[in-house]
């Protein structure tokens, strides 16, 4: 069977065309897509080589089984539901030996699969220096000329050369080639996952079994993978990154159990920026680990981990330890106040008199940064705790975790993971080169500190290099005033005719605002827009970080259950959160960066679902910043297969005319948003027209002025009177 045919089963050759066709009939809320893959280009035989027929491959040390590859349902449940062993027993499940040997693809076939799915893997660091090949006189001269031209880019590209390991062609290969625990594979297929997504195709073989994945690859002969790899992946929103890091984490634990380690030991640490995302990862992890005995736990204030206590602090060194840890502890306190929930995963709380609590049974811990740092923080008598058993540190939404707000906390956590075999994997839809540089630098520092041999750092980019959300429809709408946005949003909800304002928004959808105040104000404005008979104000909800934890999770549950139709929120829900059936996203306020746009609109069109719509409003205050959003939209449409001349959301003349934003302004925007929307008239959301508000303001001003004048007259009069009778008139 042709490998390209196999991988394209159910895929659409022209995603844009299909997305449009599908959007007419299908919405994300209609259910899962038959194929979650985003790209499948016909690469043909790009290198002019004929692909070898299967079975003709060189030195087959595996027997190829043609049916096996086409049998993607191979792991569908065989026993009737209820008869399977689903108990969460803690008995170690030994990975079964591979049942059938499967042939590995040769390098050329691997290359074709990678290219057709727009997958790019490069070694960022960890190549040993190649011996310089002997050059002829002419070659030497050419090289000199090139260097003189200052062609530094070429040199860099040579160093960061692409490579093409085994792709994951079907989930059945997880067991057959990489020896993944069968229970784990069954748990995955039980969720209806049939075809691996791009990020899964490229990352799972490498992370599960690098030697096997690279067996036929010659491009990385100078890379030592015997100690595994560090990895960073930039893959589109909703493309299944979560299971790409959960499967290797769970499988690694089960492998070591198979080697005789039977206790629950904290081996994997997953850090996510928000509580909503952390608890979603826990849910996903528990579904995958069902029946394997691996415990996936959410970090809570009351949870006691099997951490190593820091060194004892002698009284004279107290002052230093305090000052070292002061700032981190301060940071941690704020989060603690909101983390008052009961702890279902901890061991039963030990009676204080009965002695200290036993550490909870945890194999995989999922946490937000602050709460874990707080646990690790030094006390008056002991230094910081460490987590020496953690062998895998996973940063989900790594770019935001390694950006200003969280960076110091993440470094603290990273340092606490003292195991010399620690592997790092970083995941996001957007990883800037500055973030890559931070990761490289920290890995180098760590290697120096621990004197452990460093591991290669591998980068995966899905979609080649440009950040895009290709499988949804983007709309960029200009309104002359702030009120125009509200009117526009209402029109999207209740279009007069299907043609009057672009796409109608079928609930459920999410509306993003710049600040908490604006989210609340918009909620006040919109909550009566749904008729009482259809559920009324209960259909519209607002979620932001000023709400209590319990309120936040209640709203999440109601939105997931379909009870809430319009969820108004801030960027707190922009990243990672997976609402499979969200039909659309409205950027009521322009996102503060291209990355913020990608993450926000990526809440719709997940796992290849077609028909998602993203509407972004902008006013003249946003114009300086709209270019980066417009660029993402243009790139998304290009990646979706739009041809030159086809109508585009972003007019080229507009894109060309929009000003370039200065770096300084970009930075400000990223941290503060559009300044005028933070305070003053534009911070409020109202339907009152600008003319009416100006009139009201004038009236208010006149009243204030007259009050001031009256007060001044009174003060003058009492001062005159006081002077005449010589008595103190008291405080005014
Ligand atoms: N192979 C697959 N087939 C079908 N659905 C899948 C597959 N893998 C993952 N999914 C589903 O796709 C959805 C999105 O996955 P996930 O949340 O991991 O995306 P993500 O890449 O982490 O997105 P984000 O960048 O927004 O965090 C989830 O509902 C998940 O269950």
């Amino acid at each position: 069977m042709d490998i390209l045919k196999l991988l394209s089963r159910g895929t659409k050759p022209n995603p844009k065309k299909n997305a449009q066709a599908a959007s007419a009939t299908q919405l994300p809320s209609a259910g899962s897509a038959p194929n979650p893959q985003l790209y499948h280009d016909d690469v043909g035989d790009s290198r002019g080589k004929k692909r070898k027929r299967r079975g003709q491959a060189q030195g087959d040390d595996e027997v190829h089984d043609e049916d096996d590859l086409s049998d993607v349902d191979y792991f569908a449940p065989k026993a009737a539901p209820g008869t399977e062993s689903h108990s969460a027993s803690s008995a170690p499940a030994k990975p079964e030996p591979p049942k059938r040997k499967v042939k590995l693809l040769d390098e050329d076939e691997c290359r074709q699969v990678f290219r057709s799915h727009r997958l790019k893997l490069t070694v960022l660091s960890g190549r040993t220096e190649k011996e310089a090949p002997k050059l002829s006189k002419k070659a030497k001269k050419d090289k000199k000329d090139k260097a003189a031209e200052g062609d530094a880019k070429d040199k860099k590209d040579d160093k960061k050369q692409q490579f093409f390991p085994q792709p994951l062609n079907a989930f059945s290969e997880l067991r057959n080639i990489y020896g993944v625990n069968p229970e784990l594979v069954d748990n995955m297929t039980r969720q209806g996952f049939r075809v691996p997504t791009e990020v899964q195709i490229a990352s799972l073989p490498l992370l599960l079994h690098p030697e096997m994945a690279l067996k036929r690859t010659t491009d990385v002969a100078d890379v030592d993978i015997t100690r595994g790899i560090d990895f960073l992946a930039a893959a589109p929103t909703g493309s299944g990154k979560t299971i790409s890091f959960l499967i290797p984490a769970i499988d690694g634990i089960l492998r070591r159990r198979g080697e005789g380690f039977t206790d629950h030991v904290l081996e994997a640490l997953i850090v996510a920026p928000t509580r909503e995302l952390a608890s979603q990862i826990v849910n996903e992890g528990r579904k995958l680990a069902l029946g394997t005995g691996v415990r996936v736990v959410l970090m809570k204030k009351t949870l006691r981990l099997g951490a190593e206590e820091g060194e004892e602090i002698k009284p004279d060194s107290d002052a230093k330890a305090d000052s070292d840890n002061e700032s981190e502890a301060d940071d941690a306190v704020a989060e603690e106040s909101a983390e008052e929930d009961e702890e279902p995963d901890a061991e039963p709380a030990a009676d204080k008199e009965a002695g200290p609590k036993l550490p909870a049974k945890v194999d995989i811990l999922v946490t937000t940064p602050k709460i874990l740092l707080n646990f690790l923080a030094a006390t008056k008598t002991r230094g910081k705790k460490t987590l020496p058993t953690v062998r895998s540190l996973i940063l989900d939404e790594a770019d935001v975790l390694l950006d200003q707000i969280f960076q110091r906390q993440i470094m603290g956590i990273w340092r606490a993971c003292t195991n010399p075999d620690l592997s790092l994997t970083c995941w996001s839809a957007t990883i800037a080169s500055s973030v890559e540089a931070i990761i490289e630098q920290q890995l180098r520092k760590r290697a120096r500190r621990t004197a452990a041999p460093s591991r290669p750092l591998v980068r995966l980019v899905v979609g080649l290099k440009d950040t895009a959300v290709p499988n949804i429809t983007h709309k960029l709408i200009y309104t002359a005033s702030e009120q125009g946005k509200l009117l526009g949003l209402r029109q999207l909800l209740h279009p007069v005719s299907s043609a009057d304002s672009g796409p109608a928004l079928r609930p459920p959808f999410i509306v993003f605002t710049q600040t908490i105040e604006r989210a609340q104000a918009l909620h006040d404005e919109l909550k009566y827009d749904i008729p009482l008979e259809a559920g009324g104000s209960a259909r519209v909800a607002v979620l932001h970080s000023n709400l209590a934890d319990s309120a936040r999770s209640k709203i999440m549950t109601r939105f997931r259950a379909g009870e809430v139709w319009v969820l108004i929120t801030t960027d707190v829900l922009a990243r990672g959160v997976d609402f499979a059936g969200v039909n659309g996203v409205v950027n009521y306020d322009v996102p503060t960066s291209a990355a913020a746009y990608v993450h926000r609109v990526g809440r719709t069109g997940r796992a290849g679902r077609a028909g998602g719509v993203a509407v972004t409003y902008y006013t003249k205050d946003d114009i300086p910043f709209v270019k980066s959003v417009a660029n993402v939209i243009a790139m998304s449409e290009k990646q979706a297969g739009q041809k030159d001349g086809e109508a585009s959301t972003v007019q080229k003349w507009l894109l060309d005319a929009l000003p370039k934003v200065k770096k300084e302004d970009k930075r400000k925007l990223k941290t503060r948003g559009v300044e005028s929307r933070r305070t003053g008239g534009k911070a409020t959301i109202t339907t009152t027209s600008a003319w009416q508000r100006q009139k009201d303001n004038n009236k208010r001003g006149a009243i204030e002025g007259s009050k001031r004048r009256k007060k001044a007259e009174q003060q003058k009069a009492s001062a005159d009177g006081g002077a005449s009778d010589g008595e103190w008139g008291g405080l005014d």
Side-chain angles (χ1 to χ4, degrees), residues 428-447:
S428 180
T430 50
I431 299 189
S433 49
S434 56
V435 173
E436 280 177 20
I438 293 173
I439 295 169
E440 279 188 75
Q441 189 195 31
Q442 289 303 321
L443 285 170
R444 269 200 306 275
K445 270 191 189 170
R446 189 183 168 91

Side-chain angles (χ1 to χ4, degrees), residues 86-99:
H86 262 244
S87 64
S89 86
S90 59
K94 278 193 182 173
E96 272 181 25
K99 287 207 172 117

Side-chain angles (χ1 to χ4, degrees), residues 683-729:
T684 54
I685 291 176
T686 166
T687 36
T688 321
S689 71
W691 180 80
Q692 183 62 42
R693 274 188 298 135
Q694 197 176 359
K695 218 172 113 186
D696 292 348
N697 270 346
N698 290 348
K699 200 169 157 191
R700 250 198 315 275
I703 295 170
E704 291 291 318
S706 117
K707 272 188 191 163
R708 265 198 311 275
R709 275 195 303 280
K710 205 170 167 192
K711 201 166 152 191
E713 277 165 18
Q714 275 171 355
Q715 277 172 342
K716 191 168 178 289
S718 64
D720 290 350
S724 61
D725 60 16
E727 272 183 30
W728 181 58

Side-chain angles (χ1 to χ4, degrees), residues 32-33 36 171 191-197 199-200 235-243 245 277 280 284 287 396-397 428-429 574-578 580 599 602-603 606-607 609:
S32 52
F171 284 129
Q191 290 181 54
F193 303 158
R194 296 282 177 268
V195 185
T197 62
V199 66
Q200 294 158 2
T237 49
S239 66
K241 293 185 282 296
T242 314
I243 64 169
F245 59 72
L277 182 53
Q280 180 181 296
E284 287 292 306
K287 277 192 253 167
D396 194 14
E397 306 299 338
S428 180
R575 281 178 176 257
V577 185
D578 182 49
H599 288 278
R603 295 316 98 206
R606 302 183 65 79
R609 290 179 194 221

Side-chain angles (χ1 to χ4, degrees), residues 205-465:
L206 264 183
L207 294 175
L208 286 163
H209 205 323
E211 286 94 348
M212 184 66 84
L214 295 172
K215 208 166 180 179
R216 295 277 168 83
T217 313
T218 52
D219 290 330
V220 281
D222 56 343
V223 177
D224 177 11
I225 45 142
T226 48
R227 298 179 66 248
I229 56 169
D230 294 315
F231 189 73
L232 57 100
T237 49
S239 66
K241 293 185 282 296
T242 314
I243 64 169
S244 307
F245 59 72
L246 279 171
I247 288 178
I250 298 170
D251 189 61
I253 292 166
L254 291 171
R255 269 170 211 268
R256 278 184 285 280
R257 292 243 175 109
E259 288 161 13
F261 301 96
T262 50
D263 280 350
H264 292 280
V265 175
L266 175 58
E267 289 205 33
L269 180 60
I270 303 174
V271 189
T274 62
R275 278 167 238 166
E276 280 76 12
L277 182 53
S279 54
Q280 180 181 296
I281 295 169
V282 170
N283 286 341
E284 287 292 306
R286 285 181 182 163
K287 277 192 253 167
L288 286 176
L290 201 68
T292 63
V294 171
R295 285 179 62 92
V296 187
V297 171
L298 182 67
M299 182 67 189
K300 292 280 174 85
K301 188 184 169 187
T302 48
L303 190 73
R304 232 191 92 94
L305 296 169
E308 200 154 279
E309 293 288 340
E311 280 183 17
E312 197 177 336
I313 296 173
K314 305 216 170 66
D316 57 351
S317 56
D318 274 359
K320 187 185 174 302
D322 280 352
S323 72
D324 278 356
N325 298 303
E326 208 167 33
S327 42
E328 276 184 6
D330 280 351
D331 279 349
V333 169
E335 177 116 358
E336 285 306 285
S337 56
E339 300 275 348
E340 299 293 345
D341 294 1
E342 79 290 1
E343 176 38 77
D345 297 301
E347 291 292 282
D351 187 343
K352 267 187 189 159
E353 281 139 40
K357 269 198 293 175
L358 287 172
K361 289 179 179 168
V362 183
D363 297 296
I364 299 178
L365 182 76
V366 188
T367 183
T368 52
K370 273 186 189 169
I371 188 164
L372 179 63
L373 254 193
N374 209 26
F375 168 80
L376 298 172
T379 62
K380 283 237 158 78
T381 53
R382 297 241 156 224
K384 286 180 193 167
K385 295 185 192 82
T386 55
L387 300 167
T389 54
V390 172
R391 303 165 72 107
S392 169
L393 174 62
I394 297 161
L395 304 182
D396 194 14
E397 306 299 338
D399 54 331
V400 83
L401 289 179
L402 290 166
D403 204 4
Q404 292 161 347
I405 308 172
F406 293 109
Q407 200 187 84
R408 205 165 46 87
Q409 298 166 12
I410 295 301
M411 294 308 158
I413 291 171
W414 198 345
R415 270 195 300 274
C417 301
T418 51
N419 194 313
D421 286 330
L422 181 80
S423 78
L424 173 79
T425 63
C426 299
W427 307 80
S428 180
T430 50
I431 299 189
S433 49
S434 56
V435 173
E436 280 177 20
I438 293 173
I439 295 169
E440 279 188 75
Q441 189 195 31
Q442 289 303 321
L443 285 170
R444 269 200 306 275
K445 270 191 189 170
R446 189 183 168 91
R448 275 203 300 273
R449 207 174 44 237
T450 58
S454 60
R455 306 139 62 93
L457 173 63
V458 172
R459 174 185 62 192
L460 166 68
V461 182
V462 179
L464 299 181
K465 66 179 169 41

